[in-house]
Amino acid sequence: MKKFGFLVLITAVVTYAQAPPSGKSKSDAEKITSAVQGGPKFVTRNATVLDWPTSPGGEYRVLRAGTNGWTCLPGFPRAAHDEPGCFDQVFLQFIKDSMAGRTPNVQSVGISYMYGGFWVPNKSHAIGTGDEFHVGPHIMIVGPDQKMLETLNHDGSNGEPYVNHLPGRTEVYLVIPIREWDDAQAARTVGAAHR
């Protein structure tokens, strides 16, 4: 897998750099704007917004405090695409543990949103002919039964639900696309979700 643009969404996190591809550092306000595009308004309105740590196992800096138990993160620093996500407490802990090199201890179902979608290697070429396939808006689910999740589709480029993992990790989560991506409608859709 070339990139994990989520969940959400993570190859750039492995580098732990704090600057976008242009080399220009994003302001906290720009990071918050990116983060709240990751999910529906009922989640993002009162979600905590965190920034990615600057080193493995480092602290996630609070950009905006929230009250509803959800956390949104901006797109990964230096990623080729801006791919923000919003996570419940279980899924966020799964990410934190994985990124710190710890085996996650998932005891219940965790849910996340990536309304802007994310790019995966185009393995199947079932849809499109480029090297990358854009998985449109989707939800992601992690649960305690890793063996069951492993039996599911592993190819995100065929447009169907699939399982994915963070770079360098083996723990998987389910990705469920909720709408095909349409570049012409993408900006309107993401913007409308936050009006």
Side-chain angles (χ1 to χ4, degrees):
M1 182 174 205
K2 292 181 191 171
K3 308 173 190 94
F4 177 174
F6 121 248
L7 251 202
V8 215
L9 327 168
I10 293 188
T11 300
V13 174
V14 175
T15 65
Y16 293 97
Q18 290 296 306
S22 67
K24 179 183 172 230
S25 203
K26 283 187 177 181
S27 69
D28 286 355
E30 290 169 322
K31 291 175 184 178
I32 292 169
T33 298
S34 168
V36 299
Q37 291 177 3
K41 191 172 183 177
F42 69 85
V43 165
T44 62
R45 181 183 308 121
N46 295 312
T48 296
V49 176
L50 298 180
D51 196 5
W52 293 101
T54 58
S55 63
E59 292 297 315
Y60 289 72
R61 186 170 59 94
V62 175
L63 298 174
R64 184 185 83 185
T67 58
N68 66 0
W70 286 87
T71 300
C72 298
L73 288 156
F76 300 114
R78 292 196 174 218
H81 307 283
D82 188 27
E83 300 161 323
C86 295
F87 312 91
D88 72 2
Q89 294 173 358
V90 172
F91 210 110
L92 180 65
Q93 191 60 50
F94 170 80
I95 289 174
K96 285 181 172 183
D97 287 342
S98 292
M99 297 309 296
R102 299 183 298 265
T103 300
N105 183 17
V106 179
Q107 296 297 315
S108 61
V109 171
I111 300 170
S112 70
Y113 292 91
M114 287 188 77
Y115 264 24
F118 130 153
W119 282 256
V120 297
N122 194 355
K123 294 180 193 175
S124 71
H125 294 284
I127 305 172
T129 58
D131 291 337
E132 291 184 304
F133 173 77
H134 188 254
V135 176
H138 58 275
I139 61 172
M140 297 182 292
I141 300 171
V142 67
D145 192 346
Q146 284 287 302
K147 287 182 182 178
M148 185 276 302
L149 287 174
E150 278 289 345
T151 67
L152 301 175
N153 172 37
H154 285 249
D155 181 6
S157 67
N158 63 15
E160 298 176 11
Y162 67 100
V163 292
N164 201 355
H165 59 85
L166 301 178
R169 302 299 299 181
T170 59
E171 304 87 15
V172 294
Y173 50 89
L174 178 63
V175 179
I176 305 171
I178 55 177
R179 186 177 47 76
E180 286 186 37
W181 186 256
D182 177 353
D183 287 334
Q185 295 179 355
R188 292 191 308 271
T189 302
V190 172
H194 302 286
R195 289 186 192 131

mmCIF file of all heavy atoms in Angstrom, residues 30-73:
data_model
loop_
_atom_site.group_PDB
_atom_site.id
_atom_site.type_symbol
_atom_site.label_atom_id
_atom_site.label_comp_id
_atom_site.label_asym_id
_atom_site.label_seq_id
_atom_site.Cartn_x
_atom_site.Cartn_y
_atom_site.Cartn_z
ATOM 1 N N GLU A 30 -6.188 26.475 10.049
ATOM 2 C CA GLU A 30 -6.276 25.638 8.843
ATOM 3 C C GLU A 30 -6.400 24.164 9.203
ATOM 4 O O GLU A 30 -7.129 23.412 8.552
ATOM 5 C CB GLU A 30 -5.053 25.857 7.953
ATOM 6 C CG GLU A 30 -5.019 27.221 7.293
ATOM 7 C CD GLU A 30 -3.680 27.526 6.623
ATOM 8 O OE1 GLU A 30 -2.622 27.146 7.171
ATOM 9 O OE2 GLU A 30 -3.711 28.142 5.543
ATOM 10 N N LYS A 31 -5.722 23.745 10.250
ATOM 11 C CA LYS A 31 -5.828 22.354 10.693
ATOM 12 C C LYS A 31 -7.229 22.055 11.218
ATOM 13 O O LYS A 31 -7.792 20.989 10.956
ATOM 14 C CB LYS A 31 -4.779 22.055 11.762
ATOM 15 C CG LYS A 31 -3.358 22.055 11.228
ATOM 16 C CD LYS A 31 -2.351 21.883 12.345
ATOM 17 C CE LYS A 31 -0.936 21.977 11.814
ATOM 18 N NZ LYS A 31 0.072 21.853 12.885
ATOM 19 N N ILE A 32 -7.813 22.991 11.956
ATOM 20 C CA ILE A 32 -9.174 22.812 12.461
ATOM 21 C C ILE A 32 -10.153 22.744 11.297
ATOM 22 O O ILE A 32 -11.034 21.878 11.253
ATOM 23 C CB ILE A 32 -9.547 23.934 13.454
ATOM 24 C CG1 ILE A 32 -8.721 23.799 14.734
ATOM 25 C CG2 ILE A 32 -11.051 23.918 13.763
ATOM 26 C CD1 ILE A 32 -8.799 24.987 15.674
ATOM 27 N N THR A 33 -9.987 23.633 10.312
ATOM 28 C CA THR A 33 -10.853 23.617 9.135
ATOM 29 C C THR A 33 -10.763 22.281 8.413
ATOM 30 O O THR A 33 -11.779 21.705 7.999
ATOM 31 C CB THR A 33 -10.491 24.773 8.181
ATOM 32 O OG1 THR A 33 -10.717 26.013 8.869
ATOM 33 C CG2 THR A 33 -11.327 24.741 6.916
ATOM 34 N N SER A 34 -9.564 21.758 8.264
ATOM 35 C CA SER A 34 -9.379 20.446 7.637
ATOM 36 C C SER A 34 -10.074 19.367 8.463
ATOM 37 O O SER A 34 -10.843 18.559 7.924
ATOM 38 C CB SER A 34 -7.885 20.119 7.511
ATOM 39 O OG SER A 34 -7.683 18.762 7.158
ATOM 40 N N ALA A 35 -9.820 19.347 9.756
ATOM 41 C CA ALA A 35 -10.340 18.288 10.625
ATOM 42 C C ALA A 35 -11.861 18.194 10.602
ATOM 43 O O ALA A 35 -12.415 17.098 10.520
ATOM 44 C CB ALA A 35 -9.848 18.500 12.050
ATOM 45 N N VAL A 36 -12.545 19.333 10.666
ATOM 46 C CA VAL A 36 -14.009 19.291 10.752
ATOM 47 C C VAL A 36 -14.671 18.960 9.417
ATOM 48 O O VAL A 36 -15.888 18.784 9.356
ATOM 49 C CB VAL A 36 -14.604 20.573 11.362
ATOM 50 C CG1 VAL A 36 -14.097 20.771 12.796
ATOM 51 C CG2 VAL A 36 -14.330 21.792 10.512
ATOM 52 N N GLN A 37 -13.879 18.817 8.368
ATOM 53 C CA GLN A 37 -14.429 18.341 7.105
ATOM 54 C C GLN A 37 -14.470 16.822 7.058
ATOM 55 O O GLN A 37 -14.970 16.226 6.118
ATOM 56 C CB GLN A 37 -13.610 18.881 5.930
ATOM 57 C CG GLN A 37 -13.773 20.368 5.742
ATOM 58 C CD GLN A 37 -12.906 20.908 4.615
ATOM 59 O OE1 GLN A 37 -12.217 20.169 3.925
ATOM 60 N NE2 GLN A 37 -12.943 22.214 4.443
ATOM 61 N N GLY A 38 -13.960 16.170 8.107
ATOM 62 C CA GLY A 38 -13.872 14.724 8.130
ATOM 63 C C GLY A 38 -15.150 13.993 8.474
ATOM 64 O O GLY A 38 -15.245 12.793 8.265
ATOM 65 N N GLY A 39 -16.139 14.684 9.010
ATOM 66 C CA GLY A 39 -17.346 13.983 9.441
ATOM 67 C C GLY A 39 -18.590 14.835 9.342
ATOM 68 O O GLY A 39 -18.535 15.999 8.958
ATOM 69 N N PRO A 40 -19.721 14.243 9.720
ATOM 70 C CA PRO A 40 -20.991 14.971 9.661
ATOM 71 C C PRO A 40 -21.057 16.054 10.742
ATOM 72 O O PRO A 40 -20.389 15.960 11.772
ATOM 73 C CB PRO A 40 -22.034 13.882 9.906
ATOM 74 C CG PRO A 40 -21.313 12.827 10.670
ATOM 75 C CD PRO A 40 -19.888 12.868 10.191
ATOM 76 N N LYS A 41 -21.883 17.035 10.511
ATOM 77 C CA LYS A 41 -21.980 18.178 11.409
ATOM 78 C C LYS A 41 -22.352 17.774 12.833
ATOM 79 O O LYS A 41 -21.847 18.336 13.794
ATOM 80 C CB LYS A 41 -22.985 19.186 10.866
ATOM 81 C CG LYS A 41 -22.965 20.510 11.579
ATOM 82 C CD LYS A 41 -23.836 21.527 10.881
ATOM 83 C CE LYS A 41 -23.743 22.875 11.569
ATOM 84 N NZ LYS A 41 -24.519 23.884 10.877
ATOM 85 N N PHE A 42 -23.230 16.763 12.978
ATOM 86 C CA PHE A 42 -23.613 16.362 14.338
ATOM 87 C C PHE A 42 -22.424 15.806 15.115
ATOM 88 O O PHE A 42 -22.423 15.802 16.339
ATOM 89 C CB PHE A 42 -24.784 15.375 14.341
ATOM 90 C CG PHE A 42 -24.464 13.992 13.804
ATOM 91 C CD1 PHE A 42 -23.927 13.013 14.616
ATOM 92 C CD2 PHE A 42 -24.723 13.677 12.477
ATOM 93 C CE1 PHE A 42 -23.642 11.752 14.129
ATOM 94 C CE2 PHE A 42 -24.448 12.413 11.974
ATOM 95 C CZ PHE A 42 -23.903 11.447 12.797
ATOM 96 N N VAL A 43 -21.386 15.369 14.427
ATOM 97 C CA VAL A 43 -20.151 14.922 15.075
ATOM 98 C C VAL A 43 -19.184 16.090 15.234
ATOM 99 O O VAL A 43 -18.643 16.331 16.315
ATOM 100 C CB VAL A 43 -19.475 13.792 14.251
ATOM 101 C CG1 VAL A 43 -18.036 13.572 14.699
ATOM 102 C CG2 VAL A 43 -20.271 12.503 14.356
ATOM 103 N N THR A 44 -18.949 16.838 14.159
ATOM 104 C CA THR A 44 -17.890 17.852 14.161
ATOM 105 C C THR A 44 -18.227 19.093 14.983
ATOM 106 O O THR A 44 -17.321 19.750 15.482
ATOM 107 C CB THR A 44 -17.554 18.287 12.721
ATOM 108 O OG1 THR A 44 -18.699 18.878 12.114
ATOM 109 C CG2 THR A 44 -17.088 17.098 11.891
ATOM 110 N N ARG A 45 -19.510 19.398 15.116
ATOM 111 C CA ARG A 45 -19.918 20.630 15.807
ATOM 112 C C ARG A 45 -19.295 20.742 17.193
ATOM 113 O O ARG A 45 -18.802 21.792 17.589
ATOM 114 C CB ARG A 45 -21.443 20.691 15.909
ATOM 115 C CG ARG A 45 -21.965 21.942 16.580
ATOM 116 C CD ARG A 45 -23.488 21.960 16.736
ATOM 117 N NE ARG A 45 -24.162 21.702 15.477
ATOM 118 C CZ ARG A 45 -25.022 20.684 15.267
ATOM 119 N NH1 ARG A 45 -25.303 19.846 16.234
ATOM 120 N NH2 ARG A 45 -25.595 20.527 14.096
ATOM 121 N N ASN A 46 -19.313 19.664 17.961
ATOM 122 C CA ASN A 46 -18.796 19.703 19.333
ATOM 123 C C ASN A 46 -17.657 18.717 19.560
ATOM 124 O O ASN A 46 -17.404 18.311 20.693
ATOM 125 C CB ASN A 46 -19.937 19.435 20.324
ATOM 126 C CG ASN A 46 -20.975 20.536 20.296
ATOM 127 O OD1 ASN A 46 -20.649 21.709 20.345
ATOM 128 N ND2 ASN A 46 -22.238 20.158 20.189
ATOM 129 N N ALA A 47 -16.974 18.348 18.487
ATOM 130 C CA ALA A 47 -15.859 17.399 18.613
ATOM 131 C C ALA A 47 -14.588 18.106 19.063
ATOM 132 O O ALA A 47 -14.361 19.279 18.761
ATOM 133 C CB ALA A 47 -15.608 16.719 17.265
ATOM 134 N N THR A 48 -13.756 17.371 19.764
ATOM 135 C CA THR A 48 -12.413 17.836 20.069
ATOM 136 C C THR A 48 -11.602 17.745 18.776
ATOM 137 O O THR A 48 -11.781 16.807 17.996
ATOM 138 C CB THR A 48 -11.766 16.942 21.145
ATOM 139 O OG1 THR A 48 -12.516 17.079 22.354
ATOM 140 C CG2 THR A 48 -10.309 17.317 21.393
ATOM 141 N N VAL A 49 -10.748 18.700 18.531
ATOM 142 C CA VAL A 49 -9.856 18.645 17.363
ATOM 143 C C VAL A 49 -8.430 18.544 17.889
ATOM 144 O O VAL A 49 -7.993 19.367 18.697
ATOM 145 C CB VAL A 49 -10.021 19.878 16.453
ATOM 146 C CG1 VAL A 49 -9.011 19.829 15.306
ATOM 147 C CG2 VAL A 49 -11.446 19.967 15.903
ATOM 148 N N LEU A 50 -7.743 17.496 17.437
ATOM 149 C CA LEU A 50 -6.352 17.273 17.829
ATOM 150 C C LEU A 50 -5.428 17.447 16.635
ATOM 151 O O LEU A 50 -5.851 17.282 15.497
ATOM 152 C CB LEU A 50 -6.161 15.850 18.373
ATOM 153 C CG LEU A 50 -6.925 15.454 19.617
ATOM 154 C CD1 LEU A 50 -6.605 14.004 19.998
ATOM 155 C CD2 LEU A 50 -6.616 16.385 20.782
ATOM 156 N N ASP A 51 -4.172 17.725 16.926
ATOM 157 C CA ASP A 51 -3.122 17.742 15.910
ATOM 158 C C ASP A 51 -2.288 16.489 16.096
ATOM 159 O O ASP A 51 -2.166 15.952 17.199
ATOM 160 C CB ASP A 51 -2.253 18.995 16.068
ATOM 161 C CG ASP A 51 -1.400 19.277 14.853
ATOM 162 O OD1 ASP A 51 -1.534 18.578 13.832
ATOM 163 O OD2 ASP A 51 -0.578 20.211 14.930
ATOM 164 N N TRP A 52 -1.705 16.012 15.009
ATOM 165 C CA TRP A 52 -0.865 14.813 15.055
ATOM 166 C C TRP A 52 0.383 15.063 15.886
ATOM 167 O O TRP A 52 0.911 16.178 15.910
ATOM 168 C CB TRP A 52 -0.470 14.407 13.628
ATOM 169 C CG TRP A 52 -1.638 13.946 12.848
ATOM 170 C CD1 TRP A 52 -2.338 14.646 11.913
ATOM 171 C CD2 TRP A 52 -2.282 12.674 12.939
ATOM 172 N NE1 TRP A 52 -3.377 13.896 11.417
ATOM 173 C CE2 TRP A 52 -3.361 12.675 12.029
ATOM 174 C CE3 TRP A 52 -2.047 11.533 13.698
ATOM 175 C CZ2 TRP A 52 -4.207 11.578 11.862
ATOM 176 C CZ3 TRP A 52 -2.882 10.443 13.528
ATOM 177 C CH2 TRP A 52 -3.945 10.474 12.624
ATOM 178 N N PRO A 53 0.907 14.029 16.555
ATOM 179 C CA PRO A 53 2.143 14.201 17.333
ATOM 180 C C PRO A 53 3.336 14.416 16.406
ATOM 181 O O PRO A 53 3.295 14.049 15.234
ATOM 182 C CB PRO A 53 2.268 12.877 18.096
ATOM 183 C CG PRO A 53 1.490 11.890 17.310
ATOM 184 C CD PRO A 53 0.389 12.659 16.620
ATOM 185 N N THR A 54 4.373 14.983 16.959
ATOM 186 C CA THR A 54 5.578 15.240 16.166
ATOM 187 C C THR A 54 6.568 14.091 16.217
ATOM 188 O O THR A 54 7.577 14.123 15.527
ATOM 189 C CB THR A 54 6.267 16.536 16.646
ATOM 190 O OG1 THR A 54 6.584 16.392 18.027
ATOM 191 C CG2 THR A 54 5.362 17.745 16.427
ATOM 192 N N SER A 55 6.284 13.069 17.046
ATOM 193 C CA SER A 55 7.159 11.896 17.123
ATOM 194 C C SER A 55 6.314 10.678 17.495
ATOM 195 O O SER A 55 5.233 10.831 18.072
ATOM 196 C CB SER A 55 8.259 12.111 18.162
ATOM 197 O OG SER A 55 7.686 12.268 19.444
ATOM 198 N N PRO A 56 6.784 9.471 17.167
ATOM 199 C CA PRO A 56 6.032 8.264 17.515
ATOM 200 C C PRO A 56 5.753 8.199 19.016
ATOM 201 O O PRO A 56 6.645 8.412 19.826
ATOM 202 C CB PRO A 56 6.962 7.124 17.093
ATOM 203 C CG PRO A 56 7.854 7.722 16.061
ATOM 204 C CD PRO A 56 8.035 9.154 16.467
ATOM 205 N N GLY A 57 4.519 7.953 19.358
ATOM 206 C CA GLY A 57 4.138 7.871 20.761
ATOM 207 C C GLY A 57 4.015 9.220 21.434
ATOM 208 O O GLY A 57 3.753 9.292 22.638
ATOM 209 N N GLY A 58 4.200 10.316 20.668
ATOM 210 C CA GLY A 58 4.113 11.664 21.227
ATOM 211 C C GLY A 58 2.684 12.073 21.535
ATOM 212 O O GLY A 58 1.724 11.361 21.252
ATOM 213 N N GLU A 59 2.573 13.253 22.105
ATOM 214 C CA GLU A 59 1.267 13.786 22.496
ATOM 215 C C GLU A 59 0.521 14.361 21.299
ATOM 216 O O GLU A 59 1.116 14.979 20.419
ATOM 217 C CB GLU A 59 1.440 14.888 23.550
ATOM 218 C CG GLU A 59 1.945 14.375 24.884
ATOM 219 C CD GLU A 59 0.965 13.413 25.552
ATOM 220 O OE1 GLU A 59 -0.243 13.715 25.580
ATOM 221 O OE2 GLU A 59 1.420 12.357 26.038
ATOM 222 N N TYR A 60 -0.775 14.179 21.302
ATOM 223 C CA TYR A 60 -1.666 14.793 20.321
ATOM 224 C C TYR A 60 -2.095 16.134 20.911
ATOM 225 O O TYR A 60 -2.755 16.180 21.945
ATOM 226 C CB TYR A 60 -2.890 13.909 20.079
ATOM 227 C CG TYR A 60 -2.583 12.646 19.311
ATOM 228 C CD1 TYR A 60 -1.872 11.594 19.894
ATOM 229 C CD2 TYR A 60 -3.009 12.501 18.003
ATOM 230 C CE1 TYR A 60 -1.587 10.443 19.188
ATOM 231 C CE2 TYR A 60 -2.731 11.342 17.287
ATOM 232 C CZ TYR A 60 -2.022 10.319 17.890
ATOM 233 O OH TYR A 60 -1.749 9.174 17.182
ATOM 234 N N ARG A 61 -1.696 17.210 20.277
ATOM 235 C CA ARG A 61 -1.962 18.545 20.807
ATOM 236 C C ARG A 61 -3.420 18.942 20.558
ATOM 237 O O ARG A 61 -3.954 18.764 19.457
ATOM 238 C CB ARG A 61 -1.029 19.555 20.121
ATOM 239 C CG ARG A 61 -1.101 20.961 20.678
ATOM 240 C CD ARG A 61 0.023 21.827 20.114
ATOM 241 N NE ARG A 61 -0.006 21.938 18.674
ATOM 242 C CZ ARG A 61 -0.604 22.919 17.998
ATOM 243 N NH1 ARG A 61 -1.220 23.895 18.648
ATOM 244 N NH2 ARG A 61 -0.565 22.950 16.682
ATOM 245 N N VAL A 62 -4.073 19.479 21.573
ATOM 246 C CA VAL A 62 -5.463 19.907 21.453
ATOM 247 C C VAL A 62 -5.504 21.244 20.717
ATOM 248 O O VAL A 62 -4.907 22.231 21.156
ATOM 249 C CB VAL A 62 -6.142 20.036 22.834
ATOM 250 C CG1 VAL A 62 -7.559 20.593 22.690
ATOM 251 C CG2 VAL A 62 -6.160 18.700 23.555
ATOM 252 N N LEU A 63 -6.213 21.259 19.584
ATOM 253 C CA LEU A 63 -6.406 22.497 18.823
ATOM 254 C C LEU A 63 -7.724 23.162 19.203
ATOM 255 O O LEU A 63 -7.860 24.374 19.127
ATOM 256 C CB LEU A 63 -6.408 22.199 17.318
ATOM 257 C CG LEU A 63 -5.128 21.608 16.744
ATOM 258 C CD1 LEU A 63 -5.321 21.223 15.279
ATOM 259 C CD2 LEU A 63 -3.972 22.592 16.889
ATOM 260 N N ARG A 64 -8.703 22.328 19.590
ATOM 261 C CA ARG A 64 -10.004 22.835 20.018
ATOM 262 C C ARG A 64 -10.626 21.797 20.942
ATOM 263 O O ARG A 64 -10.715 20.629 20.589
ATOM 264 C CB ARG A 64 -10.914 23.045 18.809
ATOM 265 C CG ARG A 64 -12.264 23.660 19.150
ATOM 266 C CD ARG A 64 -13.179 23.730 17.947
ATOM 267 N NE ARG A 64 -13.863 22.441 17.756
ATOM 268 C CZ ARG A 64 -14.656 22.163 16.733
ATOM 269 N NH1 ARG A 64 -14.850 23.066 15.781
ATOM 270 N NH2 ARG A 64 -15.236 20.985 16.627
ATOM 271 N N ALA A 65 -11.035 22.229 22.129
ATOM 272 C CA ALA A 65 -11.677 21.309 23.068
ATOM 273 C C ALA A 65 -13.100 21.030 22.607
ATOM 274 O O ALA A 65 -13.746 21.873 21.997
ATOM 275 C CB ALA A 65 -11.681 21.915 24.470
ATOM 276 N N GLY A 66 -13.576 19.826 22.892
ATOM 277 C CA GLY A 66 -14.930 19.442 22.526
ATOM 278 C C GLY A 66 -15.651 18.813 23.695
ATOM 279 O O GLY A 66 -15.077 18.613 24.763
ATOM 280 N N THR A 67 -16.927 18.482 23.451
ATOM 281 C CA THR A 67 -17.753 17.978 24.550
ATOM 282 C C THR A 67 -18.539 16.717 24.217
ATOM 283 O O THR A 67 -19.224 16.189 25.076
ATOM 284 C CB THR A 67 -18.776 19.064 24.965
ATOM 285 O OG1 THR A 67 -19.581 19.398 23.826
ATOM 286 C CG2 THR A 67 -18.089 20.301 25.505
ATOM 287 N N ASN A 68 -18.462 16.217 22.981
ATOM 288 C CA ASN A 68 -19.357 15.114 22.610
ATOM 289 C C ASN A 68 -18.695 13.740 22.534
ATOM 290 O O ASN A 68 -19.309 12.774 22.103
ATOM 291 C CB ASN A 68 -20.061 15.432 21.276
ATOM 292 C CG ASN A 68 -19.117 15.495 20.100
ATOM 293 O OD1 ASN A 68 -17.911 15.299 20.230
ATOM 294 N ND2 ASN A 68 -19.664 15.796 18.930
ATOM 295 N N GLY A 69 -17.425 13.618 22.929
ATOM 296 C CA GLY A 69 -16.757 12.323 22.919
ATOM 297 C C GLY A 69 -16.124 11.954 21.585
ATOM 298 O O GLY A 69 -15.467 10.922 21.480
ATOM 299 N N TRP A 70 -16.322 12.770 20.558
ATOM 300 C CA TRP A 70 -15.709 12.536 19.248
ATOM 301 C C TRP A 70 -14.456 13.385 19.116
ATOM 302 O O TRP A 70 -14.362 14.466 19.701
ATOM 303 C CB TRP A 70 -16.674 12.897 18.121
ATOM 304 C CG TRP A 70 -17.778 11.909 17.949
ATOM 305 C CD1 TRP A 70 -18.985 11.909 18.617
ATOM 306 C CD2 TRP A 70 -17.797 10.791 17.079
ATOM 307 N NE1 TRP A 70 -19.726 10.840 18.198
ATOM 308 C CE2 TRP A 70 -19.042 10.139 17.255
ATOM 309 C CE3 TRP A 70 -16.887 10.268 16.169
ATOM 310 C CZ2 TRP A 70 -19.388 8.991 16.552
ATOM 311 C CZ3 TRP A 70 -17.235 9.130 15.463
ATOM 312 C CH2 TRP A 70 -18.466 8.501 15.653
ATOM 313 N N THR A 71 -13.518 12.909 18.308
ATOM 314 C CA THR A 71 -12.282 13.648 18.043
ATOM 315 C C THR A 71 -12.026 13.654 16.552
ATOM 316 O O THR A 71 -12.132 12.627 15.890
ATOM 317 C CB THR A 71 -11.083 12.983 18.752
ATOM 318 O OG1 THR A 71 -11.346 12.967 20.162
ATOM 319 C CG2 THR A 71 -9.799 13.737 18.479
ATOM 320 N N CYS A 72 -11.693 14.814 16.011
ATOM 321 C CA CYS A 72 -11.364 14.943 14.590
ATOM 322 C C CYS A 72 -9.895 15.325 14.464
ATOM 323 O O CYS A 72 -9.364 16.081 15.282
ATOM 324 C CB CYS A 72 -12.238 15.994 13.915
ATOM 325 S SG CYS A 72 -14.004 15.587 13.950
ATOM 326 N N LEU A 73 -9.257 14.782 13.454
ATOM 327 C CA LEU A 73 -7.857 15.074 13.153
ATOM 328 C C LEU A 73 -7.768 15.620 11.738
ATOM 329 O O LEU A 73 -8.479 15.146 10.837
ATOM 330 C CB LEU A 73 -7.020 13.802 13.251
ATOM 331 C CG LEU A 73 -6.789 13.278 14.665
ATOM 332 C CD1 LEU A 73 -6.480 11.793 14.659
ATOM 333 C CD2 LEU A 73 -5.662 14.051 15.316
#
